[in-house]
Amino acid sequence: PIFLERGTERACVRACVCVYVCHLTDFMFPGMRSVVRWQKELSLAADLCYFSLTTCCGYQTLGEEYSDVLQVDRSTPRLTVPSPLQRIVMILLHTFTPYLLDKCLARAQRYLTSDGGGAAAMSEQRRETLLWLIGYARPAVEWLHRAHQVLFFLNGAFYHLAKRISAIRYISVPRGVPVQQGALQSWTKA
């Protein structure tokens, strides 16, 4: 849809998928309290569904379609469509890495603030230092992600760190060029 701005289309699709998943799993999530409790997991499932139905299948996302960009493999000398393995790796990195990183930092923070277990044997200074580092790690990761997006808007190569790791970059496609499986090869030969 043209009325959506870049960045909001995925949020709209995510909200729709979350509502749909909640309706499908009403017997598993009795009430809003459970939905709020499982909000991160539902968001993860929504992102996984969205990218599986678009990027994994070889289709453009709503933002890519609106912006007239295509994903290409930067590891080859010719412009080619990313392989299915590259797309799957990108999707898994894009969806699971922030979630797992957040869970690991939260677990480490709980471990360090609990009275029992191995954290009790740790010196107080070391525990405070680790808690301080964890407190700065979350904003630092968010800042790194934002700085990477600034680099994307300056040079237009990699929108997300997952795309950089999986060697998928964007190219701009002129309006009117049909975007299908063989369209990239026919467009680049001309």
Side-chain angles (χ1 to χ4, degrees):
I2 293 178
F3 62 91
L4 293 175
E5 295 177 24
R6 262 190 262 173
T8 59
E9 74 279 343
R10 197 171 93 212
C12 291
V13 171
R14 179 187 297 159
C16 291
V17 170
C18 282
V19 168
Y20 184 69
V21 167
C22 288
H23 285 299
L24 284 179
T25 58
D26 241 355
F27 64 94
M28 291 173 64
F29 300 107
M32 279 307 289
R33 193 172 290 164
S34 294
V35 171
V36 170
R37 179 175 177 227
W38 295 99
Q39 181 178 3
K40 289 182 181 179
E41 286 77 12
L42 288 172
S43 179
L44 177 74
D47 277 350
L48 194 61
C49 288
Y50 177 70
F51 286 118
S52 296
L53 293 172
T54 55
T55 303
C56 193
C57 294
Y59 296 111
Q60 290 176 299
T61 62
L62 293 173
E64 292 167 355
E65 187 177 344
Y66 178 73
S67 303
D68 293 322
V69 294
L70 271 180
Q71 294 182 8
V72 294
D73 182 3
R74 91 172 164 111
S75 63
T76 60
R78 287 189 50 211
L79 293 177
T80 58
V81 176
S83 69
L85 179 64
Q86 276 181 301
R87 291 183 293 212
I88 290 170
V89 166
M90 191 277 302
I91 291 168
L92 293 176
L93 286 173
H94 185 78
T95 55
F96 284 105
T97 302
Y99 174 78
L100 292 175
L101 186 62
D102 185 53
K103 287 290 185 185
C104 288
L105 288 174
R107 178 167 282 182
Q109 189 172 21
R110 276 194 314 270
Y111 175 77
L112 291 170
T113 55
S114 68
D115 293 332
M122 194 181 297
S123 71
E124 189 63 30
Q125 182 182 4
R126 179 175 284 170
R127 186 187 310 185
E128 290 299 321
T129 303
L130 288 174
L131 283 171
W132 179 82
L133 285 172
I134 290 172
Y136 279 101
R138 285 184 174 147
V141 168
E142 184 65 29
W143 183 86
L144 177 67
H145 177 68
R146 299 276 184 226
H148 191 270
Q149 283 184 335
V150 167
L151 289 175
F152 166 75
F153 288 116
L154 291 176
N155 67 13
F158 304 101
Y159 181 71
H160 196 273
L161 287 170
K163 289 190 189 306
R164 183 176 296 277
I165 294 168
S166 59
I168 296 175
R169 69 181 209 97
Y170 286 119
I171 60 166
S172 183
V173 178
R175 286 205 184 266
V177 173
V179 179
Q180 299 165 354
Q181 279 292 44
L184 181 62
Q185 285 80 12
S186 65
W187 176 65
T188 55
K189 287 179 185 174

